[in-house]
C-alpha cells in the first residue's frame, strides 16, 4: 500500500505501533475510491514471490482511495492463477 504523505500530520504516526489501515480509518475521511481488475503477465519479481513461471497471467487488483484533500492510498495486489473474486450486492 502506498500512502500519500500529504495526508499525514507534520509528526507522522508510528506505524510500528498502529497499522496504517487503523490510523486511516480514524483520521482520514474517505470520499471515494475505485477498484480496477486486469490480467497482466507476471514480472520476474511477482513470478518469484508467487512461485509461477515468468509471464504467467495474473489477476491484478488496483485500488485507490480519495479523501477530501485528494488521493490517499494506492494498492496493487497480484494474484496467482486460480484466484477467485466474488462480489455480493
Amino acid at each position: 500500500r502506498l500512502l500519500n504523505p500529504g495526508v499525514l500530520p507534520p509528526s507522522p504516526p508510528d506505524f510500528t505501533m498502529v497499522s496504517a489501515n487503523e490510523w486511516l480509518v480514524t483520521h482520514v475521511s474517505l470520499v471515494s475510491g475505485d477498484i480496477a481488475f486486469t490480467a497482466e503477465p507476471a514480472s520476474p519479481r511477482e513470478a518469484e514471490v508467487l512461485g509461477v513461471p515468468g509471464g504467467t497471467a495474473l489477476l491484478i487488483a488496483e485500488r485507490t482511495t480519495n479523501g477530501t484533500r485528494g488521493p490517499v492510498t494506492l494498492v496493487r495486489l497480484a494474484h496467482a492463477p486460480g484466484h477467485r473474486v466474488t462480489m455480493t450486492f
Side-chain angles (χ1 to χ4, degrees):
R1 169 186 307 191
L2 300 176
L3 176 60
N4 178 0
V7 302
L8 298 174
S11 296
D14 180 355
F15 289 125
T16 64
M17 300 301 291
V18 61
S19 74
N21 185 64
E22 184 178 344
W23 185 85
L24 286 167
V25 167
T26 58
H27 291 85
V28 178
S29 295
L30 299 178
V31 295
S32 67
D34 62 72
I35 300 175
F37 296 99
T38 60
E40 297 179 17
S43 69
R45 174 75 175 131
E46 290 166 334
E48 177 186 352
V49 170
L50 295 173
V52 298
T56 297
L58 303 179
L59 173 64
I60 304 296
E62 283 188 355
R63 186 194 73 216
T64 58
T65 59
N66 299 291
T68 56
R69 295 177 14 206
V72 178
T73 63
L74 168 64
V75 177
R76 182 179 187 278
L77 304 168
H79 301 281
H83 186 80
R84 178 181 169 148
V85 175
T86 303
M87 293 183 219
T88 304
F89 53 96

